[in-house]
Amino acid sequence: MNKENRNSSQLWSVLARAVKCSYKEGKPKLSCNRHFEANHLTKKVFEIHSLEQPAEIDENTLWLELVPRPVIHQSNDSLELPTIVSSLHVRIYKTLGIAKTTDSCMNPLLDVLTGFDNTGNVHLWFSEILLAHSMFFDCLYPGLWNELYKNFDDHPIENVCELCAGMTGAAGLAISLRKYSNIFKTSYVLITDGNDQCVASISSIIEHNSKRLLDNCNLDQPFLLHMDVKNIRWPDDSSQSSSSLIAELDESLIHRFDLIMAADCFFDQSYHFSMLNTINRLLSLQSGSTFLAISPLRGNSLHNFINLAYQMEQTYSWTVKLISPSDYLSSQFISYLIDESNRLQFTDSELDSKIGHLIAFTRTN
């Protein structure tokens, strides 16, 4: 078993133990102090370097620079990135055990892997990393960018929100780096999570990266981008009446966002309905406004989320798509990620286990 599979097995073992044991009966304690190590696929799309750590930083946290790999090299001119700066700076916890600093009424093992937990505090989850990487190299994600160019052919993306962003908010951060273009006139980026620790970490990242953008922006043009972070958390589907299953939102956020992004946050099916309600309330009513996410199927959980979204197509005036990896990634990129350059075809299940599907909701008239 390779290292990546062992790491995944460790996490799923924690989940299995959490499901089997009762918090009231056993109160099992989490004992996972595995030091941070990016998985194999993350290293294939980003070079990862430790940054000089600020003097005031907590000894349990780490600042990293993620430098996107072009993967498919051009033989002629050097590739010009569509971003203001050429890398991401993110902050993470070094180990899983120390990320948990507050008591929880939830089963502590399950709390690490689901709900409003610490997984985003520690790991660079590949779905989030892939979504961030797509903002640097459009050509590697033709299906994803076809959706965006089609949906925003008559108006640009101005307001962006990332939901369930974990500790890094890498996808929202990456989109904030995009230069102005026909499709991007970004003026406001909101990065959110339901965990206070994640929100605090994202605040530090936004402050750091806002300074980077100011230092690197075109001095002949005003810097108009505003970045923000908020704790947005929706209730369990069984906790309230169906009309109340939605996150508490500032009035200023209602139907504000042209583009909403998320990654691998559909595992817990008990939050699907309220999550969809929240997405609908945040997403602009303008035709073409888009919710975009990357996630593996994770058993039936993603299919159940998609089926529920299908049922709401008329109510919420959106169309729903679940796009396989082979339909949104370039074939060369897939071969590179899978490490099998001689193969031309892969099954959806093979690709999903490593890469994940693309989810797209698009507002209709």
Side-chain angles (χ1 to χ4, degrees):
M1 182 181 292
N2 61 35
K3 183 180 291 185
E4 179 188 351
N5 289 336
R6 284 200 303 272
N7 290 346
S8 296
S9 296
Q10 289 173 3
L11 290 174
W12 285 109
S13 294
V14 172
L15 177 59
R17 285 188 288 131
V19 171
K20 289 178 181 177
C21 63
S22 164
Y23 175 58
K24 291 183 179 179
E25 293 175 359
K27 294 189 178 180
K29 293 184 178 180
L30 178 68
S31 58
C32 181
N33 289 314
R34 180 165 51 84
H35 286 279
F36 164 77
E37 182 176 350
N39 69 23
H40 170 65
L41 287 172
T42 297
K43 291 177 180 178
K44 288 183 77 71
V45 295
F46 281 98
E47 295 178 20
I48 302 176
H49 308 286
S50 292
L51 290 170
E52 182 177 348
Q53 306 302 303
E56 70 278 7
I57 193 172
D58 187 306
E59 64 179 6
N60 295 326
T61 58
L62 183 67
W63 279 91
L64 300 174
E65 180 179 37
L66 308 183
V67 182
R69 297 182 187 272
V71 179
I72 301 170
H73 296 280
Q74 304 293 328
S75 58
N76 43 17
D77 298 331
S78 60
L79 186 63
E80 181 180 352
L81 293 175
T83 53
I84 298 171
V85 293
S86 59
S87 65
L88 300 174
H89 288 184
V90 299
R91 174 185 182 270
I92 62 167
Y93 281 109
K94 293 179 182 177
T95 64
L96 191 61
I98 56 178
K100 187 74 176 173
T101 59
T102 57
D103 293 332
S104 171
C105 61
M106 296 176 65
N107 179 320
L109 292 176
L110 192 59
D111 197 24
V112 171
L113 290 176
T114 63
F116 303 94
D117 55 33
N118 302 299
T119 50
N121 288 342
V122 185
H123 299 284
L124 298 173
W125 291 108
F126 188 62
S127 294
E128 169 89 358
I129 287 299
L130 205 60
L131 201 52
H133 189 259
S134 73
M135 294 298 118
F136 291 94
F137 299 109
D138 305 14
C139 62
L140 301 179
Y141 303 81
L144 184 154
W145 283 97
N146 283 343
E147 289 294 317
L148 290 180
Y149 280 109
K150 178 181 64 178
N151 293 346
F152 296 98
D153 64 342
D154 59 351
H155 67 286
I157 297 168
E158 296 181 0
N159 299 304
V160 179
C161 175
E162 182 181 2
L163 298 175
C164 307
M167 191 181 193
T168 66
L173 183 62
I175 205 168
S176 74
L177 304 182
R178 293 283 301 203
K179 297 174 183 175
Y180 269 26
S181 64
N182 290 339
I183 188 174
F184 283 107
K185 299 276 191 297
T186 313
S187 59
Y188 180 59
V189 175
L190 173 65
I191 304 179
T192 77
D193 197 80
N195 182 313
D196 287 336
Q197 286 179 281
C198 291
V199 169
S201 179
I202 294 168
S203 293
S204 298
I205 293 171
I206 285 177
E207 181 180 1
H208 173 90
N209 282 279
S210 293
K211 292 177 181 177
R212 287 185 75 207
L213 289 174
L214 280 170
D215 290 341
N216 288 276
C217 69
N218 187 340
L219 296 180
D220 295 330
Q221 298 177 351
F223 184 70
L224 301 177
L225 177 65
H226 174 60
M227 297 185 69
D228 197 6
V229 58
K230 292 185 184 296
N231 186 321
I232 293 183
R233 175 175 180 169
W234 39 88
D236 185 298
D237 290 354
S238 62
S239 63
Q240 303 179 49
S241 65
S242 59
S243 61
S244 303
L245 290 175
I246 189 170
E248 293 185 10
L249 301 173
D250 294 344
E251 284 296 323
S252 63
L253 303 180
I254 304 300
H255 298 312
R256 177 170 184 174
F257 296 98
D258 308 298
L259 177 63
I260 299 175
M261 307 169 74
D264 199 0
C265 55
F266 313 104
F267 175 83
D268 193 338
Q269 298 181 45
S270 64
Y271 291 91
H272 281 177
F273 189 81
S274 53
M275 183 180 187
L276 285 167
N277 286 344
T278 302
I279 292 169
N280 174 61
R281 289 285 281 170
L282 290 169
L283 191 63
S284 168
L285 296 175
Q286 185 169 3
S287 177
S289 298
T290 302
F291 169 74
L292 202 67
I294 293 177
S295 176
L297 295 175
R298 300 215 180 280
N300 293 324
S301 63
L302 183 57
H303 278 305
N304 289 340
F305 178 78
I306 292 297
N307 288 337
L308 191 57
Y310 273 128
Q311 295 172 30
M312 297 178 175
E313 278 192 324
Q314 290 188 342
T315 303
Y316 286 162
S317 299
W318 62 29
T319 59
V320 175
K321 291 183 181 179
L322 181 62
I323 304 170
S324 68
S326 58
D327 288 330
Y328 78 89
L329 299 173
S330 76
S331 57
Q332 288 175 291
F333 190 33
I334 289 174
S335 296
Y336 170 81
L337 292 174
I338 304 298
D339 283 324
E340 295 190 38
S341 58
N342 294 326
R343 286 183 62 186
L344 297 178
Q345 291 186 327
F346 301 88
T347 66
D348 279 352
S349 59
E350 280 182 292
L351 296 180
D352 178 76
S353 64
K354 291 181 176 289
I355 299 171
H357 281 64
L358 179 69
I359 302 104
F361 303 168
T362 305
R363 284 286 195 212
T364 56
N365 290 325

